[in-house]
Amino acid sequence: MINFQFYSPTEIVFGKDSELGVAHLLKKHGATKVLFHYGGGSIKGSGLYDRVIKTLDDENIAYLELGGVVPNPRASLVREGIKIVKENNIDFILAVGGGSVMDSAKAIAVGAKYEGDFWDLYDGTKITAALPLGVIVTIPASGSEASNSSVITNDDLGLKRGTNSDFIRPKFAIMNPELTYTLPNYHAFAGVVDMMSHIFERYLTNTPDVELTDLMQESVLVAIMDNAKRLLKDPYDYNARAHIMWAGTIAHNGVLGVGRTTDWASHGLEHELSALYDVSHGAGLAVIFPHYMLYIIDHDVDRFYRLAVNVMKVRPNKNDKRGVAIKGIRKLQEFYKSLGMPLTFEDIGAKKEDIPKLVEQLNINKGDTFGGFVKLTMDDARKIYESC
Ligand code: NZQ
Ligand code: ZN
């Protein structure tokens, strides 16, 4: 096991009606004037918006609102949010929604403490301060509720980029699985693919002898798949929703990835699809990840054999480890298909003739090589996109 630091300070309040405690949490974390940040219509349709407003009013918490965050959240709205925060002395941001709303809130939080344009901080510049933020999660997927990341699409430049900093870890995350009942299957299952991918990115390691985290990862993957199958049968299965929701958080709060090298090549490849086609991040990963695994399988056949046997439940056969490993990846694709997820470029409307552009953008964002498991070149990226 390699040396590590683990820091996950977010206070999680999980369960039925947990959103009713939002005012208490805001006060506990020192909020006096709040920016209430949210997405499109879903929180109004579900009644969550009214409940939050009522609690803020009842508890005399001053707030301004900024809705309108779209999936693959845009820099233009972030700039609007930063302006509101600076002009109104707002000292806390409350994000109510999914990864897009949370990431937009994080970007506003860093921009509010920065003199220049916030986008500078999505270019590797170190973040040194941010306003505190708290979240009410409405879709389990990104893990942003306890992660140190924010991913924003710059609508002028056509670039999608992330930044990392402990300053943007939320102070609290309210997670009520019942809030996810209204999710359309497509978003719910894109979320499932995303959280599984966050585990795969950590599973693909070059660090030997990390059995504890290997086993933890495999167990969480199995639980996610089992509970996703339950949701296919009954979207109102509370315990299945609860398992998926908590799995989404631990998949990405760092606990499963300690003490080992990690990968993140597939996230890099996918972000270019989201940037160019505005495809849902999880749906893009359903296309990219299995094809990527097939492309690099020979880097460590044993690891893919293990994944096939322990997670995808392929019958073991030590005389044909590669064959078993490939079956595991094929079974993963079948599982994604059963969730209604896309498997190919064609399924998401991506075009072969755009591949040079995807590779060019990837090159701008990542440099000439990327990936922590296998060092990939832009030529590898082209071949992986082609195989999709
Ligand atoms: O805008 P509304 O109307 O709320 O609709 C949203 C949106 O259309 C809808 N939705 C959310 N909760 C709902 C609901 N609909 C009905 N009922 C509910 N309870 O779902 C749609 C998708 O929402 P979005 O926030 O975009 O989904 P997700 O949570 O998957 O977030 C995706 C974003 O997170 C980034 C991705 O790149 C992408 O931009 N990621 C962020 C990470 C991080 N910060 O750590 C890590 C991830 O790898 C990921 O890159
Ligand atoms: Zn992701």
Side-chain angles (χ1 to χ4, degrees), residues 64-285:
L64 292 173
E65 289 181 37
L66 179 64
V69 180
V70 293
N72 299 316
R74 307 295 200 265
S76 46
L77 192 73
V78 169
R79 293 194 182 102
E80 221 179 290
I82 293 168
K83 192 162 176 280
I84 295 174
V85 166
K86 284 185 172 171
E87 284 174 359
N88 294 280
N89 295 321
I90 281 168
D91 59 14
F92 200 97
I93 303 174
L94 175 66
V96 183
S100 296
V101 176
M102 295 188 265
D103 286 4
S104 180
K106 288 172 171 182
I108 295 171
V110 294
K113 293 274 187 180
Y114 183 67
E115 286 300 312
D117 181 24
F118 89 98
W119 187 250
D120 302 346
L121 302 167
Y122 284 66
D123 202 9
T125 306
K126 203 168 178 320
I127 291 170
T128 53
L131 277 189
L133 76 149
V135 304
I136 301 179
V137 183
T138 63
I139 165 171
S142 66
S144 186
E145 62 273 12
S147 84
N148 67 348
S149 321
S150 159
V151 189
I152 299 292
T153 297
N154 188 317
D155 14 4
D156 296 333
L157 305 177
L159 291 174
K160 184 171 179 176
R161 274 197 188 156
T163 190
N164 296 312
S165 165
D166 282 335
F167 286 106
I168 54 174
R169 289 187 190 268
K171 298 291 173 205
F172 65 81
I174 293 175
M175 305 177 66
N176 175 357
E178 288 185 328
L179 296 178
T180 68
Y181 286 161
T182 51
L183 274 171
N185 267 358
Y186 182 79
H187 291 311
F189 293 131
V192 162
V193 176
D194 191 20
M195 62 184 76
M196 289 181 70
S197 303
H198 294 158
I199 302 176
F200 293 142
E201 298 283 18
R202 293 170 166 97
Y203 195 71
L204 299 183
T205 184
N206 293 317
T207 311
D209 205 352
V210 280
E211 187 68 3
L212 174 65
T213 37
D214 275 346
L215 289 171
M216 287 167 72
Q217 293 180 10
E218 287 165 359
S219 303
V220 180
L221 285 167
V222 170
I224 293 171
M225 293 175 69
D226 287 350
N227 284 282
K229 285 176 200 157
R230 280 169 68 173
L231 283 188
L232 271 176
K233 290 202 193 106
D234 178 9
Y236 298 100
D237 181 334
Y238 177 83
N239 284 318
R241 290 282 184 195
H243 273 87
I244 296 278
M245 197 167 209
W246 186 230
T249 304
I250 56 175
H252 199 40
N253 80 341
V255 70
L256 300 183
V258 295
R260 47 164 66 209
T261 64
T262 55
D263 189 6
W264 301 101
S266 296
H267 268 69
L269 289 160
E270 194 293 316
H271 281 165
E272 301 312 332
L273 294 183
S274 291
L276 192 60
Y277 303 111
D278 209 13
V279 63
S280 273
H281 172 60
L285 285 167

